[in-house]
Amino acid sequence: MKIAIPVKDENLTFFSNAGHTPNFAIYDLTGSGMFRSFKLDSIIKNPRTDIDHDHAEEDHQCDHGHDDEEHIAQHNKMGEALSECSYIVVKKACKNTANSFTSQGIKLVKYNGEALDVNTILKETSVSFK
């Protein structure tokens, strides 16, 4: 099973705003119960071209009301890029971002903690991956 998580860079620092993240880390989940483990598969760049990934605003408000066709199409690029994933861990996701994932069958797992370390976050949310 593959799980995506938004990250700032190769240092795998969690990025709370899934729609504006510069990158997504893709993990393979293997085993079950106490034998579950996560292995980094790849890091892919966020495919949206309507935001400046080098200056992405992590705290940017998602409720921007952009419902035009092109804006939605930009969001949908994320779901398409992650279509092999079963889950994505998010702290924030606007409706267009959430729809881009759910339309591909990707389930959103809400993270409410304060950790920035991806490995910690995956362990804390692992009970959600079924």
Side-chain angles (χ1 to χ4, degrees):
M1 173 184 327
K2 293 196 181 291
I3 299 161
I5 187 162
V7 295
K8 193 175 276 188
D9 53 31
E10 300 80 28
N11 292 324
L12 302 175
T13 303
F14 183 64
F15 198 88
S16 68
N17 189 335
H20 288 257
T21 188
N23 302 284
F24 293 100
I26 313 298
Y27 282 83
D28 287 314
L29 170 63
T30 58
S32 61
M34 63 187 254
F35 299 106
R36 279 186 166 192
S37 65
F38 298 94
K39 181 181 178 204
L40 180 64
D41 177 82
S42 60
I43 299 172
I44 64 168
K45 190 159 186 65
N46 185 338
R48 286 183 63 185
T49 57
D50 65 332
I51 56 175
D52 182 355
H53 297 292
D54 292 329
H55 298 96
E57 299 175 49
E58 187 163 1
D59 293 322
H60 175 79
Q61 292 299 319
C62 292
D63 299 324
H64 38 62
H66 289 67
D67 290 327
D68 62 89
E69 202 172 300
E70 176 56 30
H71 189 76
I72 292 170
Q74 285 292 321
H75 278 79
N76 288 342
K77 289 179 180 181
M78 294 183 296
E80 292 165 6
L82 300 176
S83 64
E84 292 184 12
C85 295
S86 299
Y87 295 93
I88 182 163
V89 178
V90 301
K91 191 162 198 165
K92 292 187 263 183
C94 70
K95 71 176 182 175
N96 291 333
T97 297
N99 288 340
S100 79
F101 299 131
T102 59
S103 69
Q104 295 291 327
I106 304 166
K107 295 179 181 121
L108 279 73
V109 172
K110 180 83 168 146
Y111 177 66
N112 292 317
E114 297 301 318
L116 294 177
D117 175 67
V118 170
N119 292 314
T120 300
I121 293 168
L122 287 170
K123 287 176 188 167
E124 288 180 14
T125 58
S126 68
V127 295
S128 301
F129 310 130
K130 299 184 183 199

